[in-house]
Amino acid sequence: MKDYLLIAPCHFGLEAVLKKEIQELGYEIVQVEDGRVTFRGDAAAICRANVFLRTAERVLVQVGRIHAETFDELFEGTKALPWEEFIPEDGKFWVTKASSVRSKLFSPSDIQSIMKKAVVERLKGVYGRSWFDETGAQFPIRVFLIKDEATIGIDTSGVSLHKRGYRLLKAKAPITETLAAALIMLTPWNRDRILVDPFCGSGTFPIEAAMIAAKMAPGMNRSFLAEAWTGLVPIKSWYSAMDEASEMVDVKIETDIQGYDVDGEIIKAARENARCAGVDSLIHFQQRPVEQLSHPKKYGFIITNPPYGERLEEKAALPALYGQIGDALRRLDTWSAYVITSYDQAEKYIGRKADKNRKIYNGMLKTYFYQFLGPKPPKRRPGEREMKEDQA
């Protein structure tokens, strides 16, 4: 199969997590930039990346990179790219998104219009036509302009990869599935350890953790735009990726994953979302306020997205709320807590300086991933867990 350069955009600040995921799939990393990772792969890689990557927003196949300081340069550079290698004669194509950072060309609508015309002119010459009906498969084009260097790709995913297909019901300010998965993967949590989200909302953190624990690929229950690109990606490659994903799933494992929320209706929504994801048997949801957070076991993990004061609550209520988080941490003194928030007084009211703090952009909102690290649990002796289970 022919190799392509594939581009996987992600949340700013989480490029290293995505890079590791891609490497674990067996693909060569070509470049890591702010908000995206470029790697090399064949048509099968397009399928596997869409099905298996938990932290990518989408997967693009790169058509080319050009330097453009003027619209003439943008037009000629775009026209010179081999569009016919990707878009068939009946393909529907348009420039769906143009972003520009520190570049002389900065108007998205003008960039989109010029590039569309350039692609049309290229394909007119190749296919010997003056008009295209565009009745076939869709090929949405995306361009990233940074310091006058344009990276141009075609989107293979369609709907963003954060839409796994399970979240039918949402809380007021949900965290995206891709961001939740990335944050979990930034922690040392694994399926043998306790995980609690005391502000679980629609259940995204617990559901993503359960999917990771069950080795359930995030793209198993959805479709992708490039499934219709039969001339570029053989349909058997999609079947192969889905079969690979299905064979890995194991929901018979034992887990201790819990989600709490003060709103009973939200808890009902979280349970339904978990059922749709196929992991409801791995999660315990309960209506419970954060001041009642407790657990009899040691060395657990809290991973949570509490209210920021941006949309859910007035800032005046946040000191007391974050104080309750701090009280819970003092009760659970062997636990580790990972808190994503844009509230700049979080450490003050939790009553403890974070051991680590990572800046992450949640959309356009700058947030911080505060990491309060507990002691490491003692190492188990070989066979210790099995013996305890037998005695129980």
Side-chain angles (χ1 to χ4, degrees), residues 227-382:
E227 289 179 54
W229 297 4
T230 52
L232 193 68
V233 185
I235 192 67
K236 66 179 182 181
S237 294
W238 291 105
Y239 290 143
S240 178
M242 288 297 185
D243 287 346
E244 181 186 355
S246 296
E247 289 170 4
M248 292 174 61
V249 177
D250 180 8
V251 293
K252 295 181 180 179
I253 56 170
E254 290 188 12
T255 59
D256 192 344
I257 300 171
Q258 302 184 27
Y260 306 145
D261 200 281
V262 71
D263 187 330
E265 291 302 311
I266 289 294
I267 287 294
K268 289 180 183 177
R271 288 194 184 109
E272 180 61 17
N273 289 339
R275 187 192 66 77
C276 290
V279 293
D280 49 317
S281 64
L282 302 179
I283 308 170
H284 172 69
F285 288 107
Q286 184 179 352
Q287 182 180 1
R288 182 191 289 193
V290 67
E291 60 263 33
Q292 294 180 14
L293 177 58
S294 62
H295 200 288
K297 296 180 182 177
K298 294 183 176 183
Y299 308 112
F301 285 73
I302 294 169
I303 306 178
T304 194
N305 173 41
Y308 302 167
E310 301 288 335
R311 291 160 290 182
L312 290 178
E313 296 190 12
E314 296 296 329
K315 282 193 180 293
L318 294 183
L321 183 68
Y322 281 77
Q324 290 168 355
I325 295 173
D327 292 341
L329 284 181
R330 284 183 282 277
R331 290 193 298 273
L332 299 168
D333 57 358
T334 64
W335 283 45
S336 297
Y338 299 82
V339 180
I340 182 170
T341 180
S342 67
Y343 184 45
D344 58 6
Q345 299 294 305
E347 291 172 300
K348 174 182 176 181
Y349 291 107
I350 288 174
R352 176 179 164 187
K353 185 172 176 58
D355 297 284
K356 295 182 180 179
N357 182 7
R358 192 183 191 109
K359 186 192 300 182
I360 294 167
Y361 281 86
N362 185 5
M364 297 303 293
L365 182 65
K366 183 170 70 173
T367 64
Y368 296 93
F369 191 42
Y370 294 106
Q371 303 171 53
F372 302 93
L373 307 180
K376 290 182 179 180
K379 290 185 178 180
R380 292 193 185 100
R381 294 188 299 272

Side-chain angles (χ1 to χ4, degrees), residues 5-11 14-15 18-19 21-22 29 31-39 49-50 53 55-62 144 157 161:
L5 288 179
L6 304 176
I7 306 167
C10 64
H11 284 273
L14 296 173
E15 298 84 2
L18 176 55
K19 175 185 174 182
E21 272 202 286
I22 294 168
I29 301 296
Q31 189 171 18
V32 178
E33 302 168 274
D34 287 344
R36 65 184 189 268
V37 179
T38 302
F39 61 104
N50 274 294
L53 291 179
T55 62
E57 293 301 310
R58 59 186 66 249
V59 178
L60 313 177
V61 57
Q62 181 174 304
F144 311 93
S157 305
L161 294 181

